[in-house]
Amino acid sequence: MKTVLSLFILVIFAFNLGGCASGTTLVTGVKRDAISFEQVRFYQVPPANYEVIAAVRASSEIGFTDQQNLDMAVEELKIQAARVGANGIILEKTGKESTGSYGNFFSNGFGGGFFVGGENYSQVITGTAIYVK
């Protein structure tokens, strides 16, 4: 049993190091050449002179904490925007979304065991990818 638990912890740790997040992009304007995601800035209020390029969304649920999940989702959102040449993102929504429930019964082989279950949540962030002139 200790071996299974140790292996489970190792797998979770390995996934966490990889920084797993997913994202989507819906191009609604003119796509530009890709840039480095480090060049993408966030805006709560739209800047004075910009063009809308795309709607972007990212989520993460693999981190150990909500903050780690949010950090991974933010990075993925910037990656999605940079791929379409956006140098800015107007933030629209951040928060948790349910991704469903889970459950597993672990048997000890002698008619007993235990159940582990709960609900999965992911940190989600959405915005409008823009090109600031």
Side-chain angles (χ1 to χ4, degrees), residues 61-117:
E61 62 182 72
I62 197 72
F64 287 118
T65 66
D66 287 341
Q67 186 62 53
Q68 285 177 335
N69 283 330
L70 183 60
D71 292 344
M72 286 186 271
V74 164
E75 184 173 317
E76 179 62 27
L77 196 72
K78 291 172 81 173
I79 290 168
Q80 294 299 320
R83 285 183 181 157
V84 295
N87 61 4
I89 299 171
I90 301 170
L91 289 176
E92 294 172 3
K93 175 187 166 191
T94 61
K96 286 184 178 181
E97 285 185 4
S98 174
T99 59
S101 58
Y102 64 90
N104 286 310
F105 180 78
F106 297 93
S107 173
N108 65 7
F110 299 103
F114 61 95
F115 179 80
V116 176

Side-chain angles (χ1 to χ4, degrees), residues 16-55:
N16 195 38
L17 287 178
C20 295
S22 62
T24 57
T25 305
L26 174 63
V27 176
T28 57
V30 177
K31 187 177 174 180
R32 295 175 171 269
D33 291 334
I35 64 171
S36 170
F37 78 93
E38 288 96 357
Q39 295 175 283
V40 178
R41 292 187 51 200
F42 283 101
Y43 297 88
Q44 287 186 312
V45 177
N49 195 9
Y50 68 95
E51 296 174 15
V52 173
I53 297 179

